[in-house]
Amino acid sequence: MSEDSEALGHSLWGGRFSAKPGAVMQAINASIDVDKRLAAQDIAGSRAHAAMLGATGIISAADETAIQRGLTAIEGEIAAGVFAFRVELEDIHMNIEARLTELIGPAAGRLHTARSRNDQVALDLRLWVREACDRTVARIATLQRALIAKADAHADDLMPGFTHLQSAQPVTFGHHLMAYVEMLGRDAGRFADARRRMNECPLGAAALAGTSFPIDRAMTAKTLGFDAPTANSLDSVSARDFALEALAAAAICATHLSRLAEEIVLWVTPQFGFIALSDAYTTGSSIMPQKRNPDAAELVRAKVGAILGALVSVTVVMKGLPLAYGKDMQDDKVPVFAAFDALELALAAMAGMVGDMTPNSSTMAAAAGVGYATATDLADWLVRRLGLPFREAHHITGAAVKQAESLGVELAGLPLDALQALNPGVTSDVYDVLTPRASAASRLSFGGTAPDQVRAQAQRWKDKLK
């Protein structure tokens, strides 16, 4: 650290102090390696604040012009990669203010009128999380479109539907994929809701109590795209629930991605063989040359740990803090940044895998009828055609499954006389419902697995995402 830079950093807040912080204090106190990611947001907030100070006459027009010119120069330096981020200046706010002072002189000191680093960082993080929510919603839509396209193309392809990972009823591959479209739609809604709630501007709350200067908080809020200024200065600088809510939405979304990733891992095994992935989303083994590992899916599956951990981390940072600001909040940014980095990458990887996957339709169709998957169809036929109570029909169907097991056949392979021995009213028409295709095609209720329903839901989502 040079004497000049040391003096400059100390002068931003050091009037009360006669010695510089110790080395360990500087190391634990500095956050610039993390919060330099907030440079764009910090500059945007400073521009809005300077414009408001100028419009209200708190600073002169000449000072405002100089400040805006200096901020533009700093923005250019950061974009060009030539801005010198200095640890001794602690954080992004002081780094930018110090450089502004070097560029325009004393006028830079007027920028901090009627604000504090407390409302600055509250603003910067709120702006960053708001943008992260927007980016995430866009990436979710990209994944949804990939799922919809694949579902539409394979609306007729049969596969087993599972409960307890046991074969339950035949469904279509398109229907299975559309389930994730619905989940992701709710995820996007959660991010949109979080964004709406966080869209109030804390700038102008100053350190915690507001300011005696005649500022126009509505002006800065509007300039920065907020719906309104926050209504309580203590809450403005101390609230991080906007980040917690966004992280909660991220954790739920990551859980959905992890479930789909797990299914992809299962489906590409030779034991399932339901889909294939290309070289683009698989890797090989250093010792087993035959291997094609679904590493992209496995890594997506793992991301939920880091994202859920981020939610827990920020919750623990905030759980015992009295109002208003505490330096503990400096540690909120690492998990927030890491969580959204992980989620955006996972969404991109999953969209790529969904577009890349090739379903093995014949293998899925063969598996769709295994495990007496049309048993419910037999019970439903007994109710519809013979007027039996469902519980009685369920009992007869269970007996039919037991007999089929003893003969080593599926239900469609049971002789008619064997079914008639269970109930004499059974006719040969029953075989029309005992195939997996007939079973899937019969599920015409809204949201069911019938191909026409799948195509209708795919179209609904295509329209919704336009």
Side-chain angles (χ1 to χ4, degrees), residues 386-419:
L386 304 185
L388 299 182
F390 183 80
R391 286 302 170 201
E392 183 180 347
H394 186 283
H395 181 78
I396 291 170
T397 300
V401 169
K402 184 176 180 179
Q403 190 161 3
E405 282 181 324
S406 68
L407 296 174
V409 297
E410 294 293 330
L411 286 174
L414 270 179
L416 181 60
D417 59 358
L419 290 168

Side-chain angles (χ1 to χ4, degrees), residues 62 128 144 207:
W128 193 96
Q144 285 180 294

Side-chain angles (χ1 to χ4, degrees), residues 347-360:
L347 284 163
M350 187 58 74
M353 277 186 287
V354 169
D356 180 78
M357 70 169 67
T358 302
N360 189 336

